[in-house]
Amino acid sequence: LAGRACYRIYSPAESLRSQHQQRLSEALLASLKVARDEFSVVYQSQYDLSDGSMVGMEALLRWQHPLYGSVSPEEFVPLAEQRGQIHELTECLVDCIIQDMHLLAAGKGQGRRLSINISARQIVDGRLEKLLEPFFEKVRQIGWNPEIEITETHLMNLSRRCLDKLRDYGCKGVTLAIDDFGTGYSSLAYLHALPVNVLKIDRQFVQRIGSSGRDTRIVSAILAIAEALDLEVVAEGIETEAQMRMLQELKCHRGQGYLMARPSPLEQMHLD
Ligand code: C2E
Ligand code: CA
Ligand code: CA
Ligand code: CA
């Protein structure tokens, strides 16, 4: 019957869930409009796996709603996309980071990377450039290097215009990382054509490294591709010593995960 005009029968659980989504979505619209102080940013450090030095950090948005509590970005980012509010969400993120600038400036930036997550569909939005250019300038002024992370699944659908925009950012010294690498469908030819500097190996592979031969081989293969294309690799979601040792043996460059640091507010971090 799929594709025909037909009705769907929702189970009670499903209909509760969709009601909840609906309310959450309305709450998100309202909060982005009038309650931006419900949003905050946390940072997760990245380390050089060869010497353990801190080489950068990823900014992650948080939303604390008075009624719904702490809502995961896995939930509210897609809702913002659906409601055409992803630009407002990125504005919120940028505002939060700007409020932390004095702390960022006090710690040693010196070439460390500050990454933000950007939705692929936002790239061609003219407002994004106007928002990010002055922001990236500020980031550079305090000695950090700006980086954009884009999820791999969306990369294949990027238009020419999008790619050109990304190339523009690259020319201006912004590094580009492919997030959740290994979960999408990048062809090698395509990877080569993208103005990419970094591959972030998705945590599903990292977490089974060592225990699953298949996942270990996938990580090795990603490292080989990166070497051939002269890209840097960040392994995300490292939770155990064993995973870290394995990644070090495979000569993975950088790592990020609960083992080394959980995402936290900047005031609680040591940036020296
Ligand atoms: P992501 O970009 O893949 O971010 C990594 C996620 O993994 C983060 O979840 C982080 O807290 C979590 N993580 C880090 N280390 C570990 C670990 O060792 N184990 C486990 N199990 N998890 C770990 P978070 O903060 O909930 O963010 C989820 C996703 O939401 C992000 O995935 C990203 O796609 C999106 N997101 C977060 N902040 C923003 C934002 O400001 N803008 C946009 N567009 N998306 C965002
Ligand atoms: Ca990311
Ligand atoms: Ca990721
Ligand atoms: Ca993810």
Side-chain angles (χ1 to χ4, degrees), residues 192-257:
H192 196 54
L194 282 170
V196 168
N197 313 92
V198 180
L199 304 181
K200 288 192 87 173
I201 305 180
D202 192 70
R203 70 165 182 263
Q204 78 177 74
F205 303 112
V206 172
Q207 297 192 337
R208 288 196 298 257
I209 199 174
S211 62
S212 146
R214 179 179 165 272
D215 290 300
T216 312
R217 287 193 298 276
I218 289 174
V219 172
S220 298
I222 293 175
L223 282 158
I225 291 168
E227 165 116 51
L229 297 177
D230 200 19
L231 305 173
E232 198 176 6
V233 177
V234 179
E236 63 176 23
I238 304 175
E239 292 183 354
T240 68
E241 294 279 353
Q243 289 160 0
M244 184 161 79
R245 270 197 304 278
M246 194 78 197
L247 288 161
Q248 285 168 328
E249 267 168 43
L250 293 171
K251 302 268 183 293
C252 179
H253 316 115
R254 293 174 178 226
Q256 181 180 347

Side-chain angles (χ1 to χ4, degrees), residues 58 117 149 151 178-181 200-203 236-237 256:
E58 175 178 9
N117 294 283
E149 298 188 6
T151 301
I178 302 188
D179 211 346
D180 301 349
F181 190 75
K200 288 192 87 173
I201 305 180
D202 192 70
R203 70 165 182 263
E236 63 176 23
Q256 181 180 347

Side-chain angles (χ1 to χ4, degrees), residues 26-188:
E26 295 305 325
L28 180 65
L29 281 190
S31 296
L32 283 170
K33 204 168 264 166
V34 297
R36 290 208 174 175
D37 56 335
E38 290 171 13
F39 296 88
S40 63
V41 64
V42 289
Y43 303 84
Q44 189 177 33
S45 297
Q46 285 179 5
Y47 298 86
D48 184 321
L49 290 179
S50 66
D51 64 9
S53 61
M54 199 270 247
V55 288
M57 53 195 198
E58 175 178 9
L60 296 158
L61 198 59
R62 293 289 175 264
W63 179 32
Q64 178 76 35
H65 187 266
L67 195 62
Y68 302 113
S70 158
V71 185
S72 162
E74 308 260 18
E75 200 160 12
F76 70 74
V77 171
L79 287 180
E81 283 177 342
Q82 281 164 29
R83 303 296 297 257
Q85 296 294 302
I86 195 70
H87 177 75
E88 287 70 11
L89 188 125
T90 304
E91 259 178 9
C92 234
L93 174 78
V94 164
D95 289 345
C96 287
I97 301 176
I98 286 176
Q99 286 175 32
D100 282 341
M101 279 288 179
H102 63 289
L103 290 169
L104 280 170
K108 295 193 194 95
Q110 269 60 22
R112 285 172 174 170
R113 272 186 213 148
L114 180 64
S115 321
I116 60 170
N117 294 283
I118 294 293
S119 283
R121 65 182 73 179
Q122 248 188 301
I123 302 287
V124 285
D125 183 336
R127 293 174 299 172
L128 185 69
E129 246 180 309
K130 290 198 190 75
L131 175 69
L132 292 187
E133 292 231 337
F135 170 67
F136 286 156
E137 195 45 49
K138 285 197 181 83
V139 170
R140 273 193 217 92
Q141 272 166 14
I142 56 166
W144 290 75
N145 292 337
E147 179 169 272
I148 294 176
E149 298 188 6
I150 298 177
T151 301
E152 187 198 9
T153 35
H154 305 300
L155 282 174
M156 291 299 276
N157 309 323
L158 291 188
S159 62
R160 236 302 27 106
R161 230 176 100 223
C162 238
L163 288 177
D164 288 342
K165 274 270 185 293
L166 286 175
R167 227 165 259 124
D168 284 351
Y169 283 117
C171 292
K172 289 170 187 152
V174 177
T175 45
L176 183 68
I178 302 188
D179 211 346
D180 301 349
F181 190 75
T183 59
Y185 329 84
S186 317
S187 74
L188 285 177

